[in-house]
């Protein structure tokens, strides 16, 4: 079976746009539970300004109190040098830097041009100086809700610039669910050929219902690392109507059913996912927590037994 590496982003990407603050103890309890499921990485939090993302104002406390499990990398989102300093002090296993390949989205999301973002992130990479691995997430790689088409050549150009700076990995993000399987296949083919020495992760949203199809398109074209969010939580505040990330449990179920090895304990993950609506205070998009596993059989109605007896 081909090995697939899954990363969980619910407590960062999933929680960051939730309207009501989720208690620090609840976040820690959730991360500790997810740590027992077999993930390759868990993106715990973001070391951004508490004013910008109040939900993650407890980043230091969360990182300091989680129970780290050997074999799981605890990664954090870092927007700038100050964030990098805080992340290193918190002993993050990996720093995840982010910018948009779309100029307009970068201005809307990060309030700077793409070139300024490259300069800022380059400063972070030089500051870290190889002490911990660095991943760069390129948002809107498959399309921008404010500009439209983002050329693959643009994604490749920015990917090359960060590869030249010595990053360990790149995450290619379908930030607002605009990707389709044919586009994903083409992107995956090009990037796996050009950056075969890097960890390549694809990050999909299910805004238009193509998240699982896009996973398969990427998988069949050389990608073996994916981000997912428990329950399908998340979404981009700069994309009206955008829904959340692909659901981790739905994605893992599909891959395991097809014979791939995700390394994740699906039964344990489903039990955790079923608690998520109570944590966030509302329903979540994930389907598996509603439908259950295919072989979770239902009681046979009495009238069916009566009909069977008559037929016999």
């Amino acid at each position: 079976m081909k090995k697939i590496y899954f990363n969980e982003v619910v407590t960062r990407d999933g929680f960051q746009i939730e309207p009501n603050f989720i208690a620090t103890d609840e976040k820690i309890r959730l991360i500790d539970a997810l740590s027992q499921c077999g993930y390759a990485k868990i993106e715990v939090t973001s070391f951004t300004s508490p004013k910008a993302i109040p939900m993650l104002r407890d980043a230091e406390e969360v990182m300091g109190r989680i129970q780290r499990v050997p074999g799981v990398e605890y990664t954090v989102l870092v927007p700038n040098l100050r964030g990098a300093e805080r992340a290193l002090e918190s002993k993050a296993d990996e720093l995840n830097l982010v910018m948009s390949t779309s100029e307009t989205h970068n201005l809307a999301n990060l309030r700077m041009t793409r070139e300024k973002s490259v300069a800022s992130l380059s400063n972070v990479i030089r500051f870290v100086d190889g002490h911990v691995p660095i991943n760069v997430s390129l948002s809107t790689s498959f399309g921008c809700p404010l500009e439209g088409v983002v050329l693959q050549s643009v994604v490749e150009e920015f990917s090359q610039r960060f590869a030249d700076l010595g990053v360990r990995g790149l995450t290619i993000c379908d930030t607002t669910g605009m990707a389709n399987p044919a586009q994903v296949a083409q992107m995956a083919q090009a990037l796996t050929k050009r950056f075969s020495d890097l960890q390549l992760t694809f990050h999909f949203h299910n805004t238009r219902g193509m998240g699982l199809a896009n996973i398969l398109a990427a998988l069949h074209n050389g990608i073996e690392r994916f981000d997912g969010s428990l329950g399908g939580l998340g979404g981009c505040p700069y994309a009206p109507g955008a829904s959340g990330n692909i659901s981790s449990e739905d994605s893992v179920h599909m891959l395991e059913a097809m014979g791939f090895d995700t390394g994740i304990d699906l039964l344990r993950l489903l039990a955790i996912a079923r608690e998520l609506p109570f944590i966030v205070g509302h329903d979540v998009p994930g389907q598996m927590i509603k439908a259950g596993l295919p072989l979770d059989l239902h009681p046979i109605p009495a009238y069916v037994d009566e009909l069977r007896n008559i037929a016999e």
Side-chain angles (χ1 to χ4, degrees):
M1 293 188 293
K2 183 175 181 179
K3 175 68 175 177
I4 306 299
Y5 300 90
F6 231 85
N7 310 325
E8 180 57 63
V9 302
V10 66
T11 55
R12 200 283 297 173
D13 199 352
F15 281 0
Q16 69 177 5
I17 65 168
E18 286 294 313
N20 300 314
F21 185 76
I22 296 168
T24 303
D25 286 348
E26 201 70 75
K27 291 172 185 164
I28 293 166
R29 188 180 69 83
L30 178 57
I31 294 164
D32 286 349
L34 292 169
S35 292
Q36 301 295 327
C37 290
Y39 281 103
K41 299 180 186 179
I42 296 176
E43 189 176 50
V44 175
T45 188
S46 174
F47 283 96
T48 190
S49 166
K51 292 181 180 179
I53 306 181
M55 174 63 79
L56 304 180
R57 62 180 183 262
D58 53 2
E60 276 89 354
E61 184 175 359
V62 171
M63 283 294 289
R65 291 176 53 198
I66 57 174
Q67 298 297 312
R68 303 193 185 201
V69 172
V72 182
E73 288 193 13
Y74 296 90
T75 182
V76 297
L77 189 72
V78 169
N80 50 37
L81 273 176
R82 177 58 188 139
E85 292 171 350
R86 294 170 60 198
L88 292 179
E89 289 169 2
S90 294
K91 295 181 171 53
D93 294 325
E94 178 189 69
L95 307 191
N96 184 26
L97 316 183
V98 64
M99 66 165 287
S100 298
T101 58
S102 155
E103 182 78 354
T104 305
H105 190 269
N106 207 67
L107 289 166
N109 192 31
L110 300 176
R111 289 168 170 73
M112 65 178 75
T113 65
R114 291 176 298 180
E115 287 304 317
K116 285 188 176 180
S117 277
V118 171
S120 174
L121 299 185
S122 298
N123 287 336
V124 172
I125 293 168
R126 283 189 288 269
F127 169 75
V128 173
D129 193 28
H131 287 94
V132 295
I134 288 182
N135 183 82
V136 173
S137 290
L138 296 175
S139 300
T140 64
S141 289
F142 296 95
C144 171
L146 306 172
E147 282 185 17
V149 174
V150 173
L151 297 177
Q152 181 174 304
S153 59
V154 173
V155 178
E156 291 191 48
E157 175 194 345
F158 282 107
S159 297
Q160 186 65 61
R161 293 174 72 175
F162 287 111
D164 291 343
L165 290 169
V167 301
R168 179 177 69 168
L170 296 168
T171 299
I172 308 302
C173 303
D174 181 26
T175 310
T176 60
M178 296 173 70
N180 66 72
Q183 182 186 21
V184 169
Q186 185 176 359
M187 182 79 77
Q189 289 172 10
L191 296 184
T192 53
K193 181 178 180 180
R194 185 167 177 175
F195 304 106
S196 59
D197 56 333
L198 297 184
Q199 283 189 3
L200 293 175
T201 303
F202 274 35
H203 176 110
F204 295 119
H205 285 238
N206 201 40
T207 312
R208 292 166 179 84
M210 287 196 279
L212 294 181
N214 286 333
I215 287 181
L216 291 181
L219 182 64
H220 291 312
N221 287 281
I223 301 301
E224 57 186 22
R225 295 178 180 272
F226 298 95
D227 286 347
S229 180
L230 193 71
L233 284 186
C236 177
Y238 302 101
S243 59
N245 296 262
I246 55 170
S247 162
S248 296
E249 63 274 16
D250 293 358
S251 304
V252 169
H253 166 255
M254 178 187 73
L255 293 169
E256 292 280 346
M258 294 177 68
F260 294 100
D261 175 17
T262 65
I264 292 179
D265 184 336
L266 181 57
L267 289 177
R268 186 188 292 266
L269 186 63
L270 279 173
I272 300 168
R274 290 190 175 107
E275 299 178 12
L276 193 58
F278 302 100
I279 295 173
V280 297
H282 59 78
D283 192 18
V284 299
Q287 295 299 306
M288 289 298 295
I289 60 175
K290 303 177 180 71
L293 294 168
L295 293 181
D296 289 344
L297 304 181
H298 301 277
I300 299 173
Y303 73 86
V304 172
D305 281 333
E306 293 173 3
L307 290 172
R308 183 180 287 120
N309 293 331
I310 292 172
E312 293 174 352

